[in-house]
Amino acid sequence: MALRQIREVGDELLRKKSRPVEVVDDKIRQLMDDMYETMKHADDGVGIAAPQVGVLKRVIVIDLGEEGDGRVYKLVNPQIIKQKGEQVCREGCLSVPGVTGDVVRPKEVVVEALDENGKKVKIKATDLLAICLSHEIDHLDGVLFIDKATKIYDSDEDSEGDND
Ligand code: NI
């Protein structure tokens, strides 16, 4: 595993649409391992998308740690196929340092994806996991939380919230 450099807001690459992965091979698994390590190395990271490390592929990694179900989600070509309800959460992002914001997200989502072995998986998620999946999938379409935020806070106001 290796740490990769996290791209930050202002970098054009973060605004591009990522391409679907055709084959889940060792290269993709290596990418996911590196993304996981990079996320864990960064403060409060709970999720990361491939464009954040400069790779325009539809790959995300989520680990909510103590706030989650103990599962690490390594997902390829994730797609929200159903969503229900609304919730507002104070979000942050490893690519947008020093800023958090209130974002309206679905309360529940159903996501279809491939896992790290290329097997089809369906994930029913609520609350924080639903937020995180929605946030990371947005990255794959070049969307950042600051585009959707109804209110933005500087981190020195209050550093609560997770970095996705
Ligand atoms: Ni993010």
Side-chain angles (χ1 to χ4, degrees):
M1 291 208 278
L3 288 179
R4 302 206 186 191
Q5 199 198 331
I6 295 178
R7 306 285 181 121
E8 294 186 354
V9 64
D11 188 319
E12 258 179 40
L13 196 131
L14 287 174
R15 296 308 195 168
K16 297 202 163 138
K17 212 171 153 75
S18 292
R19 289 179 301 276
V21 171
E22 281 171 25
V23 185
V24 183
D25 56 12
D26 284 346
K27 212 178 154 195
I28 294 295
R29 284 185 280 274
Q30 179 71 58
L31 170 65
M32 293 194 282
D33 286 349
D34 288 356
M35 285 166 62
Y36 181 77
E37 193 182 359
T38 302
M39 172 180 87
K40 284 287 163 188
H41 188 257
D43 283 344
D44 296 329
V46 294
I48 190 165
Q52 293 183 271
V53 295
V55 178
L56 288 171
K57 290 192 167 132
R58 301 189 82 83
V59 175
I60 64 173
V61 174
I62 292 172
D63 180 3
L64 300 180
E66 286 172 11
E67 292 173 87
D69 54 10
R71 238 182 107 181
V72 177
Y73 294 89
K74 293 180 174 172
L75 302 176
V76 172
N77 302 340
Q79 253 188 314
I80 294 175
I81 56 161
K82 271 188 207 161
Q83 58 180 66
K84 205 167 113 186
E86 276 187 356
Q87 57 179 326
V88 180
C89 181
R90 181 92 164 258
E91 294 183 18
C93 179
L94 296 174
S95 294
V96 191
V99 169
T100 57
D102 293 332
V103 184
V104 181
R105 297 281 183 190
K107 177 77 177 161
E108 298 175 34
V109 295
V110 178
V111 169
E112 273 185 358
L114 300 176
D115 69 11
E116 64 265 47
N117 299 308
K119 198 176 143 238
K120 250 193 180 180
V121 290
K122 196 185 255 191
I123 299 151
K124 287 183 188 161
T126 61
D127 303 303
L128 185 58
L129 184 58
I131 290 168
C132 208
L133 284 162
S134 170
H135 176 119
E136 301 312 332
I137 291 170
D138 271 354
H139 273 296
L140 306 180
D141 294 316
V143 175
L144 299 176
F145 83 94
I146 45 174
D147 306 340
K148 294 186 163 178
T150 52
K151 190 169 180 201
I152 299 272
Y153 308 85
D154 284 334
S155 68
D156 10 333
E157 280 178 57
D158 177 354
S159 62
E160 232 184 290
D162 301 298
N163 289 312
D164 303 323

